[in-house]
Amino acid sequence: MTSAIRELLAAGPEANIDEWMKGRSFPLVEGKNATLVWRGDADEVRLRHFIFGLETSQPLARIEGTNLWYLEVEIPPRSRVEYKLEVRRGDKNEWIRDPLNPHRAHDPFGANSVLQGAGYEIPVWTRPDPKARAGLLEPFSIHSEAFGEARTGHLYLPPRFRKTRQYPLLVIHDGSDYMRFAGMKTVLDNLIERLEIPALVAVFIDSPDRLREYADDERHARFVTEELSPRLAKRLPLLDTPKGRCLMGASFGGVAALSTAVRYPNYWGRLLLQSGSFAFTDIGHQNHRGPLFNPVVRFMNAFREDPKAISERVFVSCGVYESLIYENRSLVPLLDETGMQVRFVEARDGHNWENWRDRSREGLSWLFPGPLLMIYE
């Protein structure tokens, strides 16, 4: 139990809540212990968190004679947990962000509060740096024969782009979400400025039907490899070698990256897979994640039966608080036994955009080491 809450409990109903709260930051974090605090009138308050394997709903206790509620939780150092509070008043039940916690994380569904364990800090290289020169971001649209329609996205040209140089190509699935929720343009600007990765060209692509098109869809693999990449190469000075081409994606985007590389082996020499939805079955073909995963299961089962070297370097990351950690851990030795260079990173985080943001530096700098890192190669 944190010392601050012990102090309050010792004071009992006579405690001056206003004075106790003054000057404190919430949630209270002390070593591996954290205390969530909510103040207000309610019939019940519960923590709703996103840690796989633990009870997703835990009740806060009200200190007798007050309107202050609290819950003690254990959180390992350097952890990051997204959560909401469920507040019930009579027949009304609502999920809210923690009003005492200034830390927020955004995603396509809204925003969550963030509990930051002891030692966790938002990486400085994810924040805008006035000293970092900015790359150019411009929209693009190309007609896809594979899909029979136009596909749009954004093209990133690095600072001081020159047509007399040659650049690696990074293709990022769910590109709009990576830009909006993981700050990927800022990350690229900063890592290039710090010489941790070379200047590169990135293309941020999106899908109007990602759960279908990213689930081992032949059309998507053909679009990315036979249409998008060659057309960019005609327009821009790109490195024409596998080590100069990388596919990046998270969740279903990770499946899209891996399955595209399987369909076009040794074309994409670099893969960056984050919390990939690599569902498979050990026996039979039924999966517990539902019919949307059936194409993924068929793909993964086939790949697990006959894994082959499809790339040169593969970076895999996953959060230990997400349900996909088992599948990602299982994938790594399969990739490794093919002879590909593989690096696997686990994080004390969940299935969310800031987890993927926080791992992007390690992944990109290993796949594309910049001048400052080349000495370690």
Side-chain angles (χ1 to χ4, degrees):
M1 180 178 291
T2 55
S3 56
I5 205 70
R6 281 199 301 268
E7 172 190 325
L8 185 61
L9 291 172
E14 304 303 319
N16 187 324
I17 302 297
D18 291 329
E19 283 299 316
W20 179 83
M21 295 183 69
K22 193 177 298 182
R24 298 189 190 277
S25 297
F26 298 94
L28 302 164
V29 177
E30 192 175 286
K32 65 178 182 179
N33 296 314
T35 305
L36 293 152
V37 173
W38 186 80
R39 192 178 186 189
D41 295 322
D43 296 311
E44 186 180 34
V45 182
R46 303 184 74 88
L47 167 68
R48 291 284 190 169
H49 64 74
F50 306 100
I51 300 179
F52 179 76
L54 297 181
E55 290 291 334
T56 59
S57 178
Q58 298 180 43
L60 277 69
R62 184 174 63 85
I63 296 180
E64 187 176 355
T66 75
N67 65 351
L68 189 134
W69 304 69
Y70 77 98
L71 173 66
E72 292 280 343
V73 296
E74 184 175 314
I75 178 169
R78 297 179 299 283
S79 291
R80 186 185 161 284
V81 175
E82 297 190 10
Y83 70 96
K84 279 189 170 74
L85 296 176
E86 180 184 7
V87 180
R88 182 176 66 82
R89 300 182 181 93
D91 294 333
K92 185 179 180 182
N93 209 51
E94 59 179 339
W95 288 30
I96 63 171
R97 294 185 294 273
D98 186 344
L100 297 177
N101 184 353
H103 301 295
R104 299 278 189 269
H106 298 268
D107 60 32
F109 305 102
N112 295 313
S113 294
V114 180
L115 171 56
Q116 298 178 349
Y120 174 82
E121 293 182 1
I122 298 174
V124 65
W125 46 267
T126 69
R127 302 179 185 275
D129 182 355
K131 297 180 181 178
R133 287 159 288 199
L136 176 66
L137 197 64
E138 59 182 42
F140 75 88
S141 176
I142 66 172
H143 180 78
S144 169
E145 295 293 335
F147 288 113
E149 62 185 19
R151 288 299 165 107
T152 60
H154 285 82
L155 182 67
Y156 172 88
L157 299 179
R160 298 191 295 183
F161 174 79
R162 299 288 185 271
K163 289 192 173 182
T164 54
R165 296 180 56 184
Q166 287 189 308
Y167 298 90
L169 173 65
L170 173 66
V171 177
I172 304 175
H173 294 83
D174 294 311
S176 294
D177 287 343
Y178 261 106
M179 286 191 291
R180 184 177 178 186
F181 304 119
M184 188 53 61
K185 180 185 181 298
T186 297
V187 169
L188 292 175
D189 287 344
N190 288 342
L191 296 183
I192 291 171
E193 177 70 24
R194 291 164 171 244
L195 304 180
E196 295 189 30
I197 64 173
L200 54 77
V201 170
V203 57
F204 295 85
I205 61 173
D206 294 299
S207 166
D209 190 10
R210 64 184 298 276
L211 293 180
R212 179 183 177 188
E213 294 179 1
Y214 284 1
D216 187 36
D217 190 319
E218 181 273 336
R219 298 172 302 165
H220 173 75
R222 181 154 46 99
F223 163 65
V224 171
T225 309
E226 296 186 20
E227 298 177 348
L228 179 64
S229 178
R231 292 185 200 181
L232 290 173
K234 287 182 178 180
R235 175 186 168 188
L236 301 168
L238 301 178
L239 289 168
D240 188 22
T241 60
K243 70 178 181 180
R245 292 186 286 260
C246 179
L247 291 173
M248 177 177 182
S251 194
F252 262 63
V255 175
L258 179 62
S259 63
T260 296
V262 169
R263 290 180 180 273
Y264 293 88
N266 302 313
Y267 182 85
W268 301 98
R270 301 288 186 266
L271 300 177
L272 204 167
L273 313 176
Q274 299 192 290
S275 303
S277 300
F278 303 124
F280 63 88
T281 56
D282 290 312
I283 300 177
H285 301 284
Q286 296 294 323
N287 78 91
H288 68 280
R289 296 183 183 273
L292 284 174
F293 280 81
N294 286 341
V296 178
V297 169
R298 287 193 293 269
F299 161 68
M300 288 302 302
N301 283 357
F303 183 76
R304 285 168 58 82
E305 278 191 26
D306 188 22
K308 290 184 172 64
I310 55 171
S311 189
E312 296 171 352
R313 285 191 167 196
V314 185
F315 181 89
V316 182
S317 69
C318 193
V320 297
Y321 301 151
E322 53 182 304
S323 65
L324 290 162
I325 186 63
Y326 169 70
E327 287 85 349
N328 279 263
R329 284 173 176 163
S330 299
L331 175 64
V332 171
L334 292 176
L335 299 174
D336 189 62
E337 72 182 30
T338 67
M340 294 186 288
Q341 297 181 61
V342 183
R343 178 169 292 187
F344 179 46
V345 173
E346 296 184 0
R348 287 174 176 168
D349 209 325
H351 195 79
N352 60 71
W353 287 101
E354 293 194 2
N355 174 14
W356 305 328
R357 175 201 67 188
D358 290 0
R359 314 280 87 74
S360 60
R361 176 197 189 196
E362 187 169 0
L364 288 170
S365 63
W366 184 69
L367 296 172
F368 293 123
L372 287 183
L373 301 177
M374 289 294 288
I375 58 174
Y376 298 108
E377 289 298 293

